[in-house]
Amino acid sequence: MNPDMPTSLDVWAAEASTLSWNPGVLIDGRLVPSQSSQTFDLVSPRDGAVLSAVSAGSSADVDAAVTSARAAFEDGRWAGVAPIERGAVLIRFADVVASRARELALRISLEMGKPAHDALAVELRAIVQCLRWYGQLADKLGDEAPVSSPSSLGLVTREPAGVVGAVVPWNFPLTMTGWKIGPALMAGNSVILKPAEQTSISALLLGELALEAGLPDGVLNVVPGLGSVVGEALGRHPDVDVISFTGSVGVGRRFLGYSAESNGKRVWPELGGKSASVVLADADAGAAGRTTAWGSFYNQGEMCSASSRMVVMRDVLDEAVDAALEQSRTMQPGDPLDDASQMGAIVSEVQLARMQGMVERALKDGATLAAGSIERFDIGSGRGSYLAPIVLTDVRPDMEIAQVEVFGPVLSVIAVASESEAIEVANGTPFGLAAGLWTKDLSAAHRVSRRLRAGTVWVNCYEEGNMSMPFGGSGASGFGRDKSAHAVDKYTDLKSTWIEL
Ligand code: NAP
Ligand code: MG
């Protein structure tokens, strides 16, 4: 290699040094200081350095954002525009985001620690595709005229719900945001976005790019701040019609409570998971082990649908575990700004400590540490929050590590003796988000996937799909569905009109 050629790390670091951050809240088309006048420090998990001050939004900011969103909705500046024109703005929004993809990817990487190249290839591609997909759908949905008689006409039309609060997590900050604002804006709603604390600066830029693309003022407001302040104020606001939430089980249930105690707004919770990847005896166990490990370490394991449990039949246990161990060796953490890094930093010191504690208790419960370490990983800089991928074998289904979401790079291997035991173990948590299934037998693929309690089942793959497939779960994973035309249901009301002729 030519030593004078800049490395990917040099290039990203040079771009990072030119970034500037403006704290504020984006309300009614303008970035303004929060009415609280307070800020908090955003610490990068890459190296522990303070990246920026972020405005700590207040309930007064939420009031202002809701007032702006309501006014924009009622005067028809967006809801009253022809669907094909709304679609054109969303497609332009996708183009503007694509033109700033490197900067957005870099912000995300510095904020929450995932590799910048991954943010660019996966996160940015996802939001651009999502905005385009809903932009293209805008004028393709029809209404219904189901009943007719000689003297009457029945119409069923879809109306936008009004003001939508979108509350999102930090792990796939722009993907999750796109999944919510895409269908909500397409349908004509006005939106208030509350990003996770950690990923506020990428969210604010996204809001500014929406304005640049021609979204009218007040249609997309962004209010960063603490969940317990901004999130709760949105959840309890009497003039918010819909809350679309992705995050943890506990906070999702709080939103149901906020709704019950305020105006009965509809709440769509999309929550955590403890997904099983089931490996049957006839499977390609090498592919199963590799892919399952990838699915539990990708994005530092900070993935709601992570394949965090490999439920594998004893006949192929050794082969599947060997492949998982091999995969773990190829995914050691590295600098998020180095394109060679397959895994970046854990989002925060608090999350890192939580993961270490869970693994420590798993070892006390009798699990075996087959790969990784509970010690912090040093990428060579002596700084930042890193953890090498961990594989635990000898895990029993009743252990905490097999029941509770880690949200970190930890794979638990559970050995089973039969197909029916595999199904029982896979279904034996309160969650129902996703599952993997590995088999070459077509009948087994159908038979077992029908019995897996999961909103998505991946057969002989993991984390695949496209915008046409809905995503969400059941049980403790909540019941909201993102993506696909079905997501439009969350943000619209059906109106029946009966006309006597
Ligand atoms: P989280 O703690 O539940 O936070 C999610 C959002 O809720 C953040 O914007 C947060 O603000 C806000 N919030 C926190 N406390 C609140 C409160 N008391 N009232 C109102 N809002 C509040 O989740 P996270 O740690 O960001 O993300 C991880 C979780 O998300 C995991 O459980 C994961 O499984 C889940 N997830 C699910 C999916 C899915 O599609 N099903 C996708 C991705 C992630 P702050 O930033 O201030 O905390
Ligand atoms: Mg949080």
Side-chain angles (χ1 to χ4, degrees):
M1 211 173 97
N2 179 351
D4 298 331
M5 280 272 287
T7 62
S8 62
L9 184 57
D10 298 332
V11 175
W12 284 114
E15 289 174 38
S17 69
T18 67
L19 294 180
S20 60
W21 333 91
N22 294 319
V25 295
L26 190 67
I27 295 177
D28 214 26
R30 286 187 314 131
L31 189 68
V32 293
S34 161
Q35 294 186 41
S36 75
S37 319
Q38 287 174 357
T39 59
F40 57 84
D41 283 343
L42 192 61
V43 173
S44 175
R46 175 183 176 236
D47 55 6
V50 174
L51 266 183
S52 169
V54 173
S55 288
S58 62
S59 60
D61 295 316
V62 171
D63 279 340
V66 174
T67 301
S68 159
R70 175 60 64 191
F73 183 70
E74 296 299 339
D75 72 15
R77 74 185 78 162
W78 180 245
V81 168
I84 194 167
E85 298 301 332
R86 286 204 300 268
V89 173
L90 284 181
I91 292 168
R92 214 155 48 233
F93 187 12
D95 293 342
V96 175
V97 170
S99 74
R100 299 283 288 274
R102 280 188 71 89
E103 182 182 347
L104 282 161
L106 189 50
R107 286 192 185 210
I108 292 172
S109 175
L110 295 170
E111 286 170 325
M112 56 68 70
K114 74 169 74 184
H117 69 95
D118 248 350
L120 185 62
V122 178
E123 182 90 31
L124 267 296
R125 191 190 54 179
I127 185 170
V128 168
Q129 277 182 353
C130 175
L131 294 173
R132 276 201 190 122
W133 197 89
Y134 284 106
Q136 289 162 353
L137 183 68
D139 63 330
K140 310 292 187 298
L141 296 175
D143 288 329
E144 299 165 31
V147 179
S148 64
S149 77
S151 62
S152 62
L153 174 64
L155 293 175
V156 181
T157 52
R158 221 173 245 286
E159 317 258 316
V163 174
V164 173
V167 182
V168 297
W170 45 262
N171 63 331
F172 285 95
L174 290 189
T175 309
M176 297 299 120
T177 299
W179 288 2
K180 300 197 182 313
I181 68 175
L185 293 174
M186 186 210 90
N189 297 282
S190 298
V191 178
I192 296 127
L193 170 65
K194 148 66 179 107
E197 279 161 59
Q198 295 84 346
T199 47
S200 300
I201 52 186
S202 53
L204 281 170
L205 177 55
L206 186 76
E208 291 176 322
L209 297 183
L211 294 168
E212 197 179 316
L215 199 71
D217 294 350
V219 175
L220 177 61
N221 303 280
V222 184
V223 186
L226 297 181
S228 54
V229 178
V230 175
E232 178 160 352
L234 265 179
R236 291 188 181 280
H237 204 288
D239 205 25
V240 170
D241 300 294
V242 180
I243 290 284
S244 190
F245 173 80
T246 295
S248 60
V249 175
V251 178
R253 291 185 183 172
R254 274 176 187 249
F255 273 99
L256 294 167
Y258 301 153
S259 165
E261 289 161 15
S262 58
N263 62 343
K265 60 178 69 65
R266 84 190 85 154
V267 175
W268 297 106
E270 284 148 71
L271 312 175
K274 193 74 202 178
S275 301
S277 179
V278 174
V279 188
L280 299 185
D282 72 311
D284 177 343
R290 270 192 307 281
T291 308
T292 303
W294 173 84
S296 65
F297 305 145
Y298 179 70
N299 209 53
Q300 303 70 244
E302 296 160 337
M303 218 161 37
C304 56
S305 52
S307 45
S308 54
R309 296 180 298 150
M310 180 158 74
V311 178
V312 52
M313 286 179 63
R314 290 189 197 282
D315 323 54
V316 288
L317 178 65
D318 290 347
E319 196 186 337
V321 168
D322 285 348
L325 296 177
E326 179 57 36
Q327 183 67 26
S328 77
R329 284 189 283 274
T330 70
M331 293 182 77
Q332 298 300 299
D335 191 322
L337 300 191
D338 183 344
D339 285 356
S341 302
Q342 297 300 306
M343 199 158 99
I346 302 299
V347 66
S348 66
E349 284 293 302
V350 173
Q351 289 295 327
L352 176 62
R354 184 178 165 272
M355 292 166 195
Q356 291 168 313
M358 283 187 75
V359 175
E360 205 173 342
R361 290 193 293 280
L363 298 179
K364 284 210 183 86
D365 287 346
T368 303
L369 187 68
S373 157
I374 60 172
E375 299 305 321
R376 165 196 305 274
F377 186 89
D378 184 357
I379 62 163
S381 65
R383 287 179 300 167
S385 315
Y386 298 89
L387 189 66
I390 290 173
V391 179
L392 296 172
T393 52
D394 303 316
V395 173
R396 291 188 317 273
D398 60 337
M399 290 180 185
E400 178 200 39
I401 200 75
Q403 290 289 325
V404 178
E405 186 177 43
V406 181
F407 221 58
V410 181
L411 172 64
S412 295
V413 180
I414 304 174
V416 291
S418 65
E419 178 183 302
S420 58
E421 191 191 353
I423 295 169
E424 193 184 316
V425 170
N427 290 344
T429 78
F431 297 102
L433 189 56
L437 174 61
W438 296 85
T439 177
K440 291 177 188 146
D441 177 341
L442 183 65
S443 298
H446 284 286
R447 187 173 63 236
V448 177
S449 56
R450 282 183 188 179
R451 291 188 56 199
L452 290 172
R453 193 161 66 98
T456 297
V457 179
W458 287 293
V459 180
N460 295 327
C461 62
Y462 209 83
E463 294 295 349
E464 298 294 339
N466 62 24
M467 277 304 303
S468 304
M469 305 284 286
F471 183 81
S474 63
S477 300
F479 49 80
R481 288 291 180 281
D482 282 326
K483 297 167 61 194
S484 84
H486 295 287
V488 179
D489 294 343
K490 301 199 300 190
Y491 309 105
T492 52
D493 292 316
L494 293 179
K495 176 180 277 182
S496 295
T497 307
W498 187 269
I499 304 172
E500 281 296 329
L501 302 176

